[in-house]
C-alpha cells in the first residue's frame, strides 16, 4: 500500500471512530441545542461547537490576566508567566472588568482597559479563548463588589431605586464588549461570567444578601438587556457557583440557575476542595473534587450546556505537585470529570505593585515549575500552541 492510500485508510478509520464516539454521546444527539443568542456571530457559534467537541478528549488550560503582568514583571509586551515557564501561552485568557462601570481607565487591579482590549485581540488572533468576569461595584452604596451592606440586588431590578444606574453600567460593558473587534471587523467571542460565586457570602449578589429568586431576576435582566436590547452578538454566558463543598446538597448548585434560555456554559469555581482546606474535600480531597466536577459535567450535559472549571488554583503553588498530583488527578479520576472544556487558574499578582504571595502559576525557577511543565506535556491538556482553529465551524 502506498503512502497516500495508507493515509486515506487511516483517515477513514479515524472518521469512523469519531462518528461512533459521537453517536454514543447523548449530547451530540440533541440537535436543537445551540447558543442562547439567536443572532450570535459565526465565530461565537463555532467556538461553542468546538469547545463542546474538543472537551471529550482534551481540556484547555487558562490563566487570568496572563498577558498584563506576572509576579516579577508588569506590562511588558509578549510576556506571560505561563509561557515563560511552559513554553506556550495559555489556551484561555481570563480578564476582569471591575471599575469599568465607574468610567475608570484601569480595573480594580490596575489593568488599563485600552491595554486589556489590545491583549484580548492579541490572544484571540493567536487562536485563544477569551473569558471576562466582573467584580462589579455595589450600585447602591458605591462600595466595591465585596460591599455587602445593602439589598443591592432588589434595588437594581426593574422598578428598583438603582435600576437606571445598573443599566448604564451594563451600557458601559456593552460598549467594551462590542468594540472587541479585530482589524477586519471580526467580533471576538467572549465567555461572559458575571455575578460569579453567588453561593458564597462575599459579594453583594451572594447568598445571605439576596434571595435566589432575585438573583435569577438579576441574571435574566442582564442577559435580556445585553442580548435583546443592546443586541450583542459575541457573548456566551457562564453561570459559575463556588465550591459544591459549600452546599448542603450538591443539587443546590442550581438554586440560582436562571434557566436554560439564559446560560450557555456552566462552571465551577473551587480553590479549596482539592487541597482539603476548611475541611472541604472529606477523606479524599482529589476524589471529592473529581466527583463534583463529574456531577457538574453530567448536569450541564443534561441541559445542553458546556461544563468548565471556571476558577481554581493553589495560591503560591505551595503544593509542589499541585498541577499533576492534584488538579490533573481531579480532572482525570472520574471519566465524566474529564469532559470539562477548560480549567482556568487565577492571576499572578505582581509582587511589587499589587499583592505579594498571590499567584497561581509557577514562574521559572519556582519549586513547582517542573511539575507545571509535566502538566503542560500531558496529552490531554491543551495550551495555546496545541489548539486547533476554534473559530471555524466543525464539519457535521
Ligand atoms: C480576587 C483577588 C483580588 C482581585 C479580584 C479581581 O480574587 O485576586 O486581588 O482584586 O480577584 O481580579
Amino acid at each position: 500500500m502506498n503512502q497516500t492510500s495508507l493515509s486515506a485508510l487511516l483517515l477513514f478509520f479515524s472518521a469512523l471512530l469519531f462518528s461512533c464516539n459521537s453517536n454514543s454521546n447523548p449530547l451530540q444527539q440533541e440537535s436543537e441545542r445551540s447558543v442562547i443568542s439567536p443572532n450570535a456571530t459565526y465565530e461565537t457559534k463555532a467556538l461553542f461547537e468546538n469547545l463542546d467537541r474538543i472537551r471529550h478528549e482534551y481540556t484547555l488550560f487558562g490563566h487570568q490576566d496572563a498577558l498584563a503582568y506576572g509576579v516579577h514583571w508588569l506590562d511588558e509586551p509578549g510576556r506571560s508567566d505561563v509561557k515563560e515557564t511552559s513554553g506556550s501561552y495559555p489556551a484561555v485568557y481570563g480578564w476582569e472588568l471591575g471599575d469599568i462601570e465607574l468610567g475608570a481607565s484601569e480595573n480594580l487591579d490596575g489593568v488599563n482597559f485600552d491595554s486589556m482590549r489590545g491583549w484580548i485581540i492579541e490572544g484571540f488572533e493567536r487562536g485563544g479563548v477569551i473569558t471576562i468576569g466582573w467584580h462589579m461595584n455595589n450600585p447602591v452604596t458605591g462600595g466595591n463588589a465585596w460591599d455587602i451592606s445593602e439589598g443591592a440586588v432588589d434595588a437594581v431590578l426593574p422598578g428598583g431605586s438603582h435600576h437606571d444606574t445598573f443599566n448604564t453600567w451594563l451600557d458601559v460593558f456593552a460598549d467594551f464588549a462590542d468594540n472587541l473587534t479585530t482589524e477586519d471587523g471580526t467580533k471576538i467571542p467572549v465567555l461572559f461570567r458575571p455575578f460569579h460565586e453567588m453561593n458564597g457570602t462575599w459579594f453583594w449578589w451572594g447568598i445571605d444578601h439576596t434571595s435566589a429568586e432575585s438573583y435569577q431576576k438579576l441574571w435574566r435582566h442582564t442577559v435580556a438587556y445585553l442580548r435583546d436590547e443592546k443586541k450583542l452578538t459575541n457573548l456566551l454566558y457562564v453561570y459559575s457557583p463556588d465550591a459544591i463543598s459549600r452546599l448542603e446538597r450538591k443539587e443546590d448548585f442550581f438554586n440560582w440557575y436562571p434557566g436554560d434560555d439564559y446560560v450557555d456554559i456552566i462552571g465551577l469555581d473551587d480553590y479549596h476542595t482539592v487541597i482539603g482546606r476548611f475541611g472541604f474535600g472529606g477523606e479524599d480531597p482529589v476524589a471529592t473534587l473529581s466527583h463534583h466536577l463529574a456531577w457538574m459535567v453530567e448536569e450541564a450535559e443534561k441541559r445542553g450546556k458546556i461544563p468548565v472549571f471556571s476558577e481554581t488554583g493553589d495560591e503560591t503553588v505551595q503544593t509542589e505537585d499541585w498541577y499533576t498530583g492534584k488538579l490533573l488527578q481531579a480532572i482525570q479520576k472520574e471519566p465524566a470529570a474529564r469532559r470539562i472544556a477548560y480549567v482556568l487558574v487565577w492571576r499572578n499578582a505582581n509582587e511589587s505593585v499589587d499583592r505579594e504571595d498571590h499567584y497561581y502559576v509557577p514562574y521559572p525557577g519556582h519549586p513547582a515549575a517542573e511539575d507545571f511543565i509535566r502538566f503542560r506535556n500531558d496529552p490531554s491538556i491543551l495550551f495555546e500552541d496545541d489548539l486547533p482553529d476554534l473559530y471555524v465551524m466543525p464539519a457535521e
Side-chain angles (χ1 to χ4, degrees), residues 24-281:
S24 63
N25 164 20
L27 184 66
Q28 309 260 329
Q29 288 166 2
E30 290 174 30
S31 50
E32 77 281 21
R33 178 187 50 81
S34 70
V35 302
I36 64 163
S37 306
N39 299 328
T41 63
Y42 169 84
E43 287 78 12
T44 307
K45 288 179 176 163
L47 176 63
F48 184 86
E49 285 305 319
N50 280 307
L51 287 177
D52 197 34
R53 290 192 180 206
I54 211 167
R55 70 187 180 82
H56 292 270
E57 267 190 78
Y58 301 106
T59 306
L60 276 56
F61 176 73
H63 189 210
Q64 185 74 4
D65 282 354
L67 305 178
Y69 52 81
V71 178
H72 301 124
W73 57 273
L74 191 62
D75 195 2
E76 290 180 40
R79 296 197 68 174
S80 143
D81 282 352
V82 171
K83 181 163 194 279
E84 286 167 31
T85 302
S86 76
S88 170
Y89 290 109
V92 179
Y93 295 94
W95 295 101
E96 162 61 40
L97 292 185
D99 284 0
I100 200 168
E101 64 276 26
L102 309 178
S105 56
E106 293 180 350
N107 79 0
L108 74 169
D109 302 316
V111 180
N112 178 279
F113 288 116
D114 292 334
S115 309
M116 188 188 296
R117 181 171 176 275
W119 287 315
I120 288 173
I121 295 170
E122 185 187 317
F124 169 74
E125 286 184 332
R126 280 196 301 256
V129 176
I130 309 301
T131 174
I132 295 186
W134 192 356
H135 288 74
M136 186 193 278
N137 286 274
N138 183 320
V140 175
T141 63
N144 63 23
W146 294 267
D147 181 345
I148 54 172
S149 56
E150 305 254 344
V153 173
D154 281 335
V156 303
L157 293 177
S161 56
H162 289 68
H163 184 59
D164 293 343
T165 310
F166 183 67
N167 285 349
T168 61
W169 288 6
L170 294 180
D171 291 340
V172 177
F173 168 77
D175 260 4
F176 184 82
D178 204 39
N179 281 309
L180 294 173
T181 51
T182 59
E183 261 181 28
D184 69 3
T186 307
K187 281 191 198 298
I188 299 178
V190 170
L191 279 51
F192 179 46
R193 195 171 68 90
F195 310 122
H196 60 305
E197 302 173 1
M198 76 303 287
N199 58 327
T201 53
W202 43 89
F203 298 132
W204 57 260
W205 56 84
I207 195 168
D208 295 352
H209 319 306
T210 187
S211 64
E213 201 191 349
S214 293
Y215 179 91
Q216 291 167 346
K217 287 184 183 158
L218 171 75
W219 187 286
R220 290 189 203 118
H221 170 73
T222 302
V223 171
Y225 192 79
L226 297 174
R227 180 186 60 189
D228 308 331
E229 289 202 30
K230 305 302 288 188
K231 308 225 180 293
L232 293 179
T233 53
N234 56 334
L235 300 185
L236 295 170
Y237 297 86
V238 189
Y239 170 79
S240 64
D242 195 62
I244 289 173
S245 311
R246 287 184 192 286
L247 302 167
E248 223 166 276
R249 309 165 315 136
K250 54 182 174 330
E251 292 70 24
D252 294 340
F253 186 88
F254 286 99
N255 282 359
W256 301 265
Y257 188 67
D260 290 345
D261 294 341
Y262 294 87
V263 170
D264 292 299
I265 295 177
I266 295 179
L268 174 69
D269 287 13
D270 190 336
Y271 291 81
H272 306 312
T273 301
V274 78
I275 49 172
R277 194 180 292 140
F278 306 141
F280 286 7

Side-chain angles (χ1 to χ4, degrees), residues 339-377:
R339 300 202 296 272
I340 53 169
Y342 69 77
V343 55
L344 180 139
V345 300
W346 206 239
R347 62 199 196 97
N348 274 18
N350 180 275
E351 64 176 11
S352 346
V353 304
D354 191 353
R355 287 173 61 174
E356 251 185 86
D357 297 329
H358 186 57
Y359 60 88
Y360 296 86
V361 166
Y363 46 79
H366 184 283
E370 288 301 310
D371 185 61
F372 185 63
I373 295 166
R374 277 196 292 278
F375 173 78
R376 180 262 201 285
N377 288 334

Side-chain angles (χ1 to χ4, degrees), residues 271-381:
Y271 291 81
H272 306 312
T273 301
V274 78
I275 49 172
R277 194 180 292 140
F278 306 141
F280 286 7
E283 307 237 303
D284 186 344
V286 167
T288 302
L289 178 61
S290 196
H291 187 62
H292 289 173
L293 287 170
W295 179 81
M296 178 192 67
V297 164
E298 284 172 347
E299 290 298 317
E301 287 173 348
K302 280 185 207 163
R303 294 166 171 82
K305 308 300 174 189
I306 296 181
V308 300
F309 196 2
S310 35
E311 269 192 50
T312 189
D314 178 25
E315 198 175 40
T316 74
V317 211
Q318 254 182 51
T319 311
E320 251 174 63
D321 70 341
W322 185 82
Y323 275 93
T324 64
K326 305 285 181 196
L327 178 62
L328 195 58
Q329 301 302 316
I331 294 173
Q332 296 189 339
K333 197 168 171 71
E334 292 210 15
R338 293 174 181 235
R339 300 202 296 272
I340 53 169
Y342 69 77
V343 55
L344 180 139
V345 300
W346 206 239
R347 62 199 196 97
N348 274 18
N350 180 275
E351 64 176 11
S352 346
V353 304
D354 191 353
R355 287 173 61 174
E356 251 185 86
D357 297 329
H358 186 57
Y359 60 88
Y360 296 86
V361 166
Y363 46 79
H366 184 283
E370 288 301 310
D371 185 61
F372 185 63
I373 295 166
R374 277 196 292 278
F375 173 78
R376 180 262 201 285
N377 288 334
D378 188 277
S380 73
I381 300 294

